[in-house]
Amino acid sequence: MIKNVEIMVIGGGPAGLCAALSASDLGVGISAPDLGVGISAPDLGVGISAPDLGVGVLLVERDDVAGGQLVKQTHKFFGSEKQYAGDRGIHIGQMLVEKAQADSNIEIWTDSTVLGIYEDGVVTVLHEDKHIKVKPERIIIATGAAEKFLAFPGNDLPGIYGAGAVQTLMNVAGVKPAERVLMVGAGNIGLIVSYQLKQAGIDVVAVIEGQPKIGGYLVHASKIRRAGIPVLTRHTILEAYGNGRVEGALITEIDESWLPIPGTERKIVCDTICLAVGLSPLTELAWQAGCEMGFIRELSGHVPIFDENLETTCPGIYCAGDVCGIEEASSAMVEGRLAGINAAASLGYGVSEAEKFRKDAMIELEELRSGDMGGHIRVGLEKMYARCKK
Amino acid sequence: MLINDGIPTKEDIVKVTPSDERFAEGPVVIVECFQEIPCDPCVKACKRGAITMSGDINALPVVDYTLCNGCGNCISLCPGLAIFVVDKTYSDDFALVKLPYEYVPVPQAGQRVMALSRAGEELGCYEVVRVTTGGKKNMTYTISLAVPQEVVMEVREVRYTRNGS
């Protein structure tokens, strides 16, 4: 049996949750029974559900809870009020999940993995140990990103983690994962996880960064610096050492060509090395679905080519969040909202309001990206739109 | 330099330091926010409208020190934990610094904590005068610490452990 849905959202992180909620807000799922899916007029009757037509929005999340990375973001978010600035990520996640759960137009499948998107529009999902076929009218890919790794001798020793993994152990599982940590990478993840390690009573010996400048927000850097954690730019890790597990690391200063400066090597005693050296978009489903892909460095690698509506080159397949370029969670939420609006509007929902909502979201994104820190995203998107028009 | 090591320089600090005349009038805010990032909760945090931003949310906050009464409401609302209040009129020898705190355990009024500089250097043990909670949702504490006048512009962090180290 095939399950019919109007909009399928793949990934229940900030982008996916906001996509599902905005699509529902525009009326997806509130169909008049005698009209077919996609041609209903929401004005005909709010709350008239049509079970035989399938669900409005199906949100599929691989983890056992929705929320994505928000479930471990214990720090307060930046941005403006519209992106819940000042609220902690965990609370934003809870709020979005509760809203989606309470929304009768949204069905949430957790612990469920999308396996493939096929030519005939069928999407297969592993859900409750069953192989289920879903036929969505529209798909929003919001699969997020994965942490990058770093090549150095000894990097296979137990005690070497992605910073996000350590954050999960601490903030989700409640496990103290280390006693003394060396953090590699001074982007926002490296800085924030260092702060959270310190909050958990764990020593962070240093944060090292190959770039000459701190990549993350300087307020995060200042916060950990005054707590006693040195941030060493133009430094890299040469090797990890230890007998059976990490006992320390050899670090060095590097010059402008990223070559080690002889005589600057030093040993750092630590039991854990956290790598926070960037993220890669999780694009497998976009590749597999046949979306045209492009390598755009500023968006952090291969991403599906998309237009201003976040629609990929496969009609009806949209993308939002880190999968279409690594950014902050605040931008992911707005992108999700935008993809949800566009997917819903393309099905004929909320056409009168969609234009205003779309504009609002575009303005918010522009605002979030307009500062110094958004420079690379602006360049990346310019390249994207140039590619897209070809 | 701030961009290389996270430590604001003297020049950075001068830019956000109120005048001596303003300090003489009582508690006043110091917003140590030096980088244009998309963030604006401080503007809403100030009920007196003392913190503004020109243009968009990436602009640096601007403080009107004549409007600021040093209430410290903005301290726990700044996502970057970059806002402090200094009261040089606290006593002849001591000044008060109010700073954000998100570690455990939380010190109580009357207890002594280690004061730290922007570089994390120890500046001496001083007494906590007051602790206020940001509430269930905000969760950031504001600690008021009485420190010698000469270090009040240096103290920006406290360290507190149960065994007193």
Side-chain angles (χ1 to χ4, degrees), chain A residues 161 166 169-171 173-180 197 200-203 271-272:
Chain A
Y161 295 87
V166 154
L169 282 172
M170 277 193 302
N171 298 351
V175 171
K176 187 179 179 184
E179 295 296 333
R180 268 173 79 82
L197 283 160
I202 296 160
D203 269 349
D271 60 10
T272 299

Side-chain angles (χ1 to χ4, degrees), chain A residues 178-182 197-198 201-205 229:
Chain A
E179 295 296 333
R180 268 173 79 82
V181 174
L182 171 69
L197 283 160
K198 184 91 188 163
I202 296 160
D203 269 349
V204 180
V205 199
I229 302 173

Side-chain angles (χ1 to χ4, degrees), chain A residues 175-257:
Chain A
V175 171
K176 187 179 179 184
E179 295 296 333
R180 268 173 79 82
V181 174
L182 171 69
M183 180 66 67
V184 182
N188 272 337
I189 296 181
L191 298 173
I192 289 167
V193 175
S194 295
Y195 180 62
Q196 293 172 0
L197 283 160
K198 184 91 188 163
Q199 286 180 303
I202 296 160
D203 269 349
V204 180
V205 199
V207 178
I208 61 170
E209 166 62 57
Q211 299 278 356
K213 290 176 181 176
I214 292 166
Y217 291 167
L218 297 178
V219 284
H220 286 314
S222 297
K223 190 168 76 177
I224 65 168
R225 190 64 189 83
R226 63 181 189 250
I229 302 173
V231 183
L232 309 172
T233 44
R234 281 231 161 97
H235 275 72
T236 194
I237 182 167
L238 287 175
E239 62 170 81
Y241 65 87
N243 189 9
R245 59 156 303 121
V246 172
E247 290 168 13
L250 195 61
I251 66 167
T252 183
E253 252 178 79
I254 51 176
D255 64 18
E256 277 146 41
S257 341

Side-chain angles (χ1 to χ4, degrees), chain A residues 21-368:
Chain A
L21 287 166
S22 73
S24 166
D25 274 352
L26 280 189
V28 173
I30 310 171
S31 311
D34 52 339
L35 298 174
V37 173
I39 51 162
S40 61
D43 298 345
L44 287 181
V46 175
I48 302 172
S49 63
D52 51 325
L53 287 175
V55 271
V57 182
L58 175 66
L59 179 79
V60 183
E61 165 58 44
R62 193 176 56 174
D63 219 327
D64 57 355
V65 284
Q69 299 299 305
L70 294 173
V71 301
K72 56 190 189 182
Q73 306 304 334
T74 54
H75 61 284
K76 286 184 269 198
F77 273 32
F78 296 78
S80 77
E81 207 174 17
K82 285 166 254 165
Q83 301 100 35
Y84 320 107
D87 287 0
R88 291 179 191 276
I90 35 168
H91 296 148
I92 298 172
Q94 266 164 15
M95 180 268 299
L96 294 175
V97 170
E98 278 164 22
K99 251 172 119 174
Q101 281 169 340
D103 191 324
S104 56
N105 300 321
I106 302 173
E107 185 173 338
I108 305 176
W109 287 0
T110 53
D111 250 328
S112 304
T113 306
V114 171
L115 303 169
I117 301 173
Y118 293 85
E119 293 94 329
D120 57 357
V122 169
V123 180
T124 55
V125 189
L126 184 66
H127 172 63
E128 291 175 345
D129 287 327
K130 284 195 284 283
H131 183 256
I132 295 179
K133 289 178 200 148
V134 179
K135 180 80 177 57
E137 304 276 318
R138 300 287 182 269
I139 297 171
I140 298 172
I141 302 179
T143 41
E147 297 193 273
K148 286 184 188 163
F149 207 63
L150 200 62
F152 55 89
N155 71 357
D156 57 343
L157 281 172
I160 296 175
Y161 295 87
V166 154
Q167 202 185 20
T168 303
L169 282 172
M170 277 193 302
N171 298 351
V172 179
V175 171
K176 187 179 179 184
E179 295 296 333
R180 268 173 79 82
V181 174
L182 171 69
M183 180 66 67
V184 182
N188 272 337
I189 296 181
L191 298 173
I192 289 167
V193 175
S194 295
Y195 180 62
Q196 293 172 0
L197 283 160
K198 184 91 188 163
Q199 286 180 303
I202 296 160
D203 269 349
V204 180
V205 199
V207 178
I208 61 170
E209 166 62 57
Q211 299 278 356
K213 290 176 181 176
I214 292 166
Y217 291 167
L218 297 178
V219 284
H220 286 314
S222 297
K223 190 168 76 177
I224 65 168
R225 190 64 189 83
R226 63 181 189 250
I229 302 173
V231 183
L232 309 172
T233 44
R234 281 231 161 97
H235 275 72
T236 194
I237 182 167
L238 287 175
E239 62 170 81
Y241 65 87
N243 189 9
R245 59 156 303 121
V246 172
E247 290 168 13
L250 195 61
I251 66 167
T252 183
E253 252 178 79
I254 51 176
D255 64 18
E256 277 146 41
S257 341
W258 290 71
L259 294 170
I261 300 172
T264 62
E265 303 87 4
R266 63 178 148 138
K267 269 186 179 179
I268 297 274
V269 176
C270 58
D271 60 10
T272 299
I273 297 168
C274 280
L275 303 177
V277 291
L279 300 170
S280 297
L282 279 171
T283 52
E284 291 86 345
L285 284 170
W287 282 104
Q288 193 266 329
C291 301
E292 188 190 329
M293 305 294 288
F295 185 89
I296 299 180
R297 196 173 60 89
E298 292 81 1
L299 301 179
S300 297
H302 277 104
V303 285
I305 300 297
F306 56 85
D307 63 13
E308 283 180 348
N309 291 325
L310 295 170
E311 191 170 9
T312 67
T313 55
C314 292
I317 302 185
Y318 296 76
C319 57
D322 275 353
V323 70
C324 49
I326 307 299
E327 269 188 276
E328 295 297 315
S330 40
S331 321
M333 289 190 279
V334 185
E335 269 191 350
R337 193 188 334 140
L338 184 58
I341 293 164
N342 289 330
S346 76
L347 289 171
Y349 287 100
V351 178
S352 51
E353 312 114 286
E355 196 46 46
K356 184 194 173 297
F357 291 160
R358 186 184 289 138
K359 236 182 224 150
D360 289 347
M362 304 275 251
I363 290 169
E364 282 177 51
L365 282 173
E366 210 178 298
E367 226 175 32
L368 288 169

Side-chain angles (χ1 to χ4, degrees), chain B:
Chain B
M1 248 170 76
L2 177 60
I3 190 83
N4 313 116
D5 59 15
I7 308 169
T9 59
K10 280 209 170 72
E11 294 74 58
D12 292 326
I13 299 306
V14 165
K15 280 186 226 155
V16 296
T17 304
S19 65
D20 288 346
E21 292 76 43
R22 178 60 190 84
F23 273 129
E25 285 169 20
V28 63
V29 75
I30 295 165
V31 182
E32 300 193 5
C33 181
F34 305 105
Q35 183 185 38
E36 294 192 356
I37 56 173
C39 184
D40 71 353
C42 57
V43 176
K44 279 250 165 68
C46 184
K47 306 267 185 291
R48 302 168 63 89
I51 307 180
T52 52
M53 239 171 233
S54 59
D56 71 277
I57 61 169
N58 290 279
L60 294 180
V62 176
V63 181
D64 183 339
Y65 297 111
T66 61
L67 292 176
C68 171
N69 66 352
C71 74
N73 191 46
C74 49
I75 296 174
S76 71
L77 292 170
C78 167
L81 307 193
I83 302 186
F84 308 87
V85 165
V86 164
D87 181 6
K88 291 192 177 182
T89 65
Y90 182 67
S91 79
D92 284 347
D93 299 332
F94 282 81
L96 206 65
V97 56
K98 295 185 194 175
L99 44 83
Y101 185 84
E102 294 186 334
Y103 296 98
V104 282
V106 180
Q108 302 303 306
Q111 285 174 325
R112 291 172 80 79
V113 296
M114 177 59 75
L116 302 172
S117 73
R118 295 184 185 86
E121 302 144 336
E122 297 183 351
L123 297 171
C125 278
Y126 301 107
E127 191 182 317
V128 172
V129 174
R130 193 165 51 244
V131 176
T132 52
T133 148
K136 247 190 185 163
K137 188 164 171 244
N138 177 285
M139 298 168 81
T140 304
Y141 288 88
T142 300
I143 306 241
S144 303
L145 193 69
V147 301
Q149 291 278 0
E150 56 272 24
V151 294
V152 73
M153 282 305 287
E154 305 302 321
V155 175
R156 288 299 176 266
E157 182 66 273
V158 298
R159 190 177 70 219
Y160 174 66
T161 49
R162 280 218 174 76
N163 59 24
S165 63

